[in-house]
Amino acid sequence: MKLTIDQVIPSFNSGKIDIFFNCEGGSFSPDALLDCYRRYGAVACYFGSKFEAAENAFALHYEKHKVARKVDKFNGVNFALESDLPDDLVKVEAHAEAVKVIGHLLKGGETGILNSKLIVKDSKFSGSVFLHQDSSYQVGSDNITCFFLLSDLQKDPLRKSTIRALAGTHSFGHLGDVGEIDRTILDEDWPDIEFCYPKFTYVFMNPHLWHYSKSCELGANVRGIYAFTCHGLSALSIRSPGSKLRLPSNKLNTGKIFIRSRVSRLIELQKQVDKITA
């Protein structure tokens, strides 16, 4: 028997899920945001349009690297290494209102940054991204995946490229594999949450929420999303929000935890396959 949405979200009575909160001017209820986050696995907050510096920094950064940027055939959306990110882009992590929301979702305490990257779709890569959850690629617990939208995803063709998530599936927790969930275990009409919001919207997502994106024809359009992972400040944190200054390094926050991991082993095997089939 397939899992129904009512089993995951009790008293669910809507096929269209709205997680968007217009928080411009600081007028929002922290408890309402937390309830939405707990119920659906994500909450989207718009704090206004005063992010021109971040938008311009992204545009310049993209123009500088778009020709030379290499596209990983397995993960074509990744754009730049963390050390290359512009200061004005990194500063969105420390926007005062966003910090308040993150702190409330994390139940207070000082926040640390676990990782960050640019996620881009353009003419080099506009394909689909398989259904996955972020927790399999992260360390630590009680993390929040944060997306800052640098493009207006309300209009096509960018809307077709946006991230989509399966409502409430964060409640399944960590399922033990860096894989793709079998959607046949869910009802066919399981509701999607589409992150098709105005530029400068923040989306705060539980890393256990299963999400994906569709392929699309973008032409000259560029979809830019700045993604960063927050958690309670700990030995795992690489830096403080908004700062490019790294915290004191150790084996945990440099990623040198395992001699071999499942991901590194898959990379090794793929290199063997590529060598054989070349």
Side-chain angles (χ1 to χ4, degrees):
M1 183 178 292
K2 294 184 178 182
L3 195 66
T4 66
I5 188 69
D6 276 328
Q7 289 174 278
V8 175
I9 305 176
S11 304
F12 182 80
N13 56 9
S14 171
K16 178 70 175 177
I17 295 172
D18 185 11
I19 65 167
F20 183 81
F21 288 77
N22 188 343
C23 305
E24 191 169 5
S27 57
F28 60 90
S29 165
D31 289 338
L33 295 179
L34 182 58
D35 181 66
C36 180
Y37 182 78
R38 287 174 173 169
R39 184 172 173 83
Y40 299 119
V43 61
C45 298
Y46 179 76
F47 301 113
S49 59
K50 297 179 180 179
F51 293 94
E52 292 85 357
E55 182 181 28
N56 293 336
F58 168 65
L60 291 171
H61 192 69
Y62 178 76
E63 284 299 318
K64 180 180 178 181
H65 295 285
K66 68 177 182 179
V67 174
R69 93 173 180 100
K70 297 179 181 179
V71 176
D72 184 334
K73 60 184 177 181
F74 297 108
N75 194 9
V77 296
N78 284 355
F79 177 42
L81 295 174
E82 185 166 1
S83 58
D84 294 331
L85 295 174
D87 290 349
D88 283 331
L89 189 54
V90 174
K91 287 177 183 176
V92 304
E93 301 167 355
H95 180 65
E97 297 302 315
V99 169
K100 287 180 185 177
V101 172
I102 292 168
H104 195 69
L105 298 180
L106 288 174
K107 300 177 183 176
E110 196 170 353
T111 300
I113 298 295
L114 185 64
N115 55 54
S116 59
K117 60 186 175 183
L118 274 172
I119 303 175
V120 170
K121 279 194 175 184
D122 60 4
S123 58
K124 278 198 173 182
F125 180 83
S126 57
S128 61
V129 176
F130 75 98
L131 186 60
H132 66 284
Q133 58 175 204
D134 291 346
S135 63
S136 302
Y137 305 95
Q138 296 178 1
V139 290
S141 57
D142 295 327
N143 300 328
I144 298 177
T145 299
C146 307
F147 298 122
F148 179 75
L149 308 187
L150 290 154
S151 309
D152 188 346
L153 302 184
Q154 294 178 302
K155 300 177 181 179
D156 287 334
L158 290 176
R159 179 168 186 158
K160 294 178 182 177
S161 77
T162 196
I163 298 169
R164 292 167 165 80
L166 300 184
T169 53
H170 63 297
S171 65
F172 302 163
H174 178 60
L175 298 183
D177 190 17
V178 183
E180 179 174 2
I181 196 172
D182 182 357
R183 289 195 66 162
T184 65
I185 67 176
L186 309 175
D187 267 353
E188 289 84 355
D189 58 351
W190 199 281
D192 272 3
I193 306 170
E194 296 184 7
F195 298 164
C196 48
Y197 303 120
K199 65 180 178 180
F200 309 145
T201 297
Y202 287 80
V203 179
F204 306 106
M205 187 182 76
N206 187 306
H208 291 94
L209 188 68
W210 288 87
H211 57 287
Y212 68 103
S213 67
K214 297 179 180 179
S215 60
C216 54
E217 292 297 329
L218 289 178
N221 294 281
V222 179
R223 188 207 73 181
I225 296 174
Y226 178 51
F228 56 100
T229 306
C230 291
H231 63 172
L233 188 67
S234 73
L236 293 166
S237 306
I238 62 169
R239 53 185 177 78
S240 299
S243 171
K244 292 185 70 174
L245 183 65
R246 293 185 68 92
L247 295 170
S249 63
N250 59 68
K251 291 287 186 180
L252 289 174
N253 66 16
T254 55
K256 298 175 182 177
I257 303 170
F258 304 110
I259 295 175
R260 171 177 283 181
S261 68
R262 194 163 17 183
V263 173
S264 69
R265 181 58 179 153
L266 289 173
I267 293 172
E268 289 173 15
L269 292 171
Q270 186 60 50
K271 286 180 179 178
Q272 293 177 31
V273 172
D274 290 344
K275 186 176 181 179
I276 294 170
T277 56

